Amino acid sequence: TPPLSPTGLFVAIVSSNHRIDPDTSVWALAREIRGQMQCQLARGEAHLFYALYGLDGTPSSAEQTAALKQKILASLPHTMVSNIGRVTPVSDDPLLRNLSFALFPMPYQSLFTAASTFNDQLTLNIGFNANRLGSHADRLIDALRLNLLNAAAA
């Protein structure tokens, strides 16, 4: 049955740059990121990155799509964190014990982390471009795991 109201996916992008050294505190970095994002949102810098309406495509013109593709391909290699935030359990479905999502890295992203919190449990799904990271992927994932465990214990 088709939905009664239009289906949509709307994505707003706020980006920031941060220097990370081997001794960077995870929590200090998180506070810095949050502070920068709050300032950017207060200034109205979040712009609609793209929108998909309905189930059959996008309202973007060919020129808009070409301009978006050019901007994406011109961006420097980077990592991305997408956080859907804290999801409240649905009382009608007590059997649902975990909720998470995962996305794949775009060609210009070395690492993509999808974060969600459900039932007070943080879930991180880390996707990476194996061709870009090569033999360093295992070391990087192990270091991320260790940093997250140390931050959680602090």
Side-chain angles (χ1 to χ4, degrees):
T1 307
L4 298 176
S5 61
T7 302
L9 168 65
F10 307 94
V11 178
I13 298 294
V14 178
S15 63
S16 59
N17 295 303
H18 306 273
R19 181 181 172 99
I20 301 174
D21 296 311
D23 59 344
T24 298
S25 159
V26 172
W27 294 118
L29 177 62
R31 284 188 296 274
E32 181 182 322
I33 292 169
R34 181 183 173 119
Q36 277 196 25
M37 292 181 90
Q38 286 175 331
C39 287
Q40 289 173 307
L41 291 172
R43 289 190 301 248
E45 291 182 18
H47 58 283
L48 192 60
F49 185 56
Y50 64 86
L52 300 176
Y53 299 96
L55 302 175
D56 59 353
T58 176
S60 299
S61 68
E63 293 81 21
Q64 290 170 316
T65 302
L68 175 62
K69 181 178 179 181
Q70 183 180 12
K71 288 177 184 176
I72 287 173
L73 293 176
S75 66
L76 295 172
H78 62 277
T79 64
M80 170 82 72
V81 176
S82 183
N83 185 354
I84 63 170
R86 187 175 298 273
V87 178
T88 306
V90 178
S91 58
D92 293 344
D93 192 1
L95 297 178
L96 183 61
R97 296 185 186 143
N98 196 349
L99 176 76
S100 68
F101 74 105
L103 300 168
F104 61 91
M106 298 300 278
Y108 52 89
Q109 296 169 340
S110 301
L111 190 71
F112 187 100
T113 304
S116 61
T117 302
F118 182 75
N119 271 343
D120 294 323
Q121 178 179 343
L122 174 65
T123 301
L124 301 173
N125 288 311
I126 301 172
F128 59 90
N129 184 330
N131 291 328
R132 188 167 277 198
L133 295 179
S135 62
H136 302 292
D138 290 338
R139 283 194 340 227
L140 176 62
I141 299 302
D142 288 342
L144 285 170
R145 183 181 303 116
L146 181 61
N147 285 337
L148 288 168
L149 289 171
N150 289 337

